[in-house]
Amino acid sequence: MKNCYEDTRLSVIVNGVATGFYKGSRGLRQGDLLSQFLFLMVAEVFSALMKKAERNGLISGFKVKSNGTPITHLQFADHTIVFLDANPAQFTALKQILIELQQITGLNTNLEKSSVIGVGDAASNCDKCARVLGCEVGSLPINYLGLPIGSSSRRISIWDPVIDRLKKRLASWKRQYLSKGGRLILLKSVLRSMPIYYLSLFAIPASIANTLEKIMRNFL
């Protein structure tokens, strides 16, 4: 596998003629299928280091119930959320984990794009914890994977992005070039795909449901 990304050779076509091959010096090419597998391997290294720190009592994570499995981190694609107590000692342990990860994989964490976010009473110690890592202090709610995490489910405004996307997809000019059957199929497709992602976290208010229905009814 090491040979797959160390022996990368590229060629540039000029006026329809290949100019010969040259050796790549920055690892895998963009879109290389092997890159996804390598990314998962790096993610597994980080997970193993976090689990080891939890077993040694350096970090605590949180438990959904008293006798449940401790959750120290969640990963989705290149997004990672780490759960710690608002204790500078645990953030020092996390910093050491990131240093070990860099030594093992050669990848450095960009802390400038990271932030420490306190939940409840823990928000008062965020400044001390953030200084340990050298990152910024954030606050809830945050936009994570397209969802407003930490927002109240009763706030009507959290549904504004769904309404805006629905209006853009059902632009008025499309009505002029689609048959009634085509408009109906488009409505069903939008209805199934857009609100459902939000519904996985929030209960939809009756007023929002009526607004979405009104937009689609007018389009039809």
Side-chain angles (χ1 to χ4, degrees):
M1 184 168 60
K2 186 177 181 180
N3 291 333
C4 289
Y5 67 82
E6 283 192 344
D7 293 342
T8 302
R9 296 200 307 156
L10 307 172
S11 179
V12 178
I13 297 179
V14 179
N15 296 328
V17 180
T19 58
F21 289 90
Y22 62 94
K23 184 175 177 58
S25 60
R26 300 297 296 177
L28 295 174
R29 293 168 293 177
Q30 184 177 0
D32 196 310
L33 297 179
L34 186 62
S35 62
Q36 302 173 9
F37 181 62
L38 292 177
F39 179 83
L40 291 177
M41 292 184 65
V42 174
E44 286 296 323
V45 174
F46 177 75
S47 295
L49 293 174
M50 292 292 292
K51 292 178 182 178
K52 180 180 178 181
E54 189 273 329
R55 289 194 301 267
N56 294 335
L58 299 177
I59 59 178
S60 57
F62 81 97
K63 296 181 180 179
V64 178
K65 53 184 180 179
S66 58
N67 59 344
T69 302
I71 300 176
T72 58
H73 62 288
L74 295 175
Q75 293 177 293
F76 182 85
D78 58 347
H79 297 274
T80 300
I81 296 181
V82 178
F83 301 98
L84 302 174
D85 286 343
N87 185 348
Q90 293 202 18
F91 281 80
T92 301
L94 175 61
K95 185 175 182 179
Q96 183 61 36
I97 290 173
L98 297 178
I99 292 174
E100 293 182 21
L101 181 68
Q102 180 182 0
Q103 293 173 345
I104 295 172
T105 64
L107 299 177
N108 188 19
T109 304
N110 188 353
L111 294 175
E112 294 182 356
K113 294 183 178 180
S114 304
S115 59
V116 176
I117 299 174
V119 179
D121 296 336
S124 59
N125 290 331
C126 282
D127 291 334
K128 297 179 181 179
C129 297
R131 283 196 294 268
V132 174
L133 290 178
C135 59
E136 297 181 351
V137 177
S139 60
L140 293 176
I142 61 173
N143 188 16
Y144 180 69
L145 303 179
L147 290 176
I149 304 299
S151 294
S152 173
S153 59
R154 298 180 180 179
R155 291 180 57 187
I156 302 299
S157 60
I158 65 175
W159 291 88
D160 289 345
V162 177
I163 296 176
D164 292 340
R165 288 199 300 268
L166 189 66
K167 290 180 178 179
K168 290 179 181 179
R169 287 288 299 272
L170 302 181
S172 58
W173 64 267
K174 295 181 180 179
R175 182 169 47 198
Q176 303 175 8
Y177 299 100
L178 291 175
S179 64
K180 188 172 183 179
R183 294 197 296 270
L184 183 61
I185 293 176
L186 179 60
L187 290 178
K188 289 182 178 180
S189 175
V190 172
L191 179 63
R192 290 175 181 175
S193 61
M194 288 190 172
I196 285 180
Y197 187 51
Y198 262 60
L199 288 172
S200 64
L201 185 63
F202 301 107
I204 186 170
S207 59
I208 296 298
N210 293 334
T211 299
L212 296 177
E213 183 178 355
K214 180 180 179 180
I215 294 172
M216 292 184 287
R217 182 174 61 249
N218 293 338
F219 180 82
L220 183 62

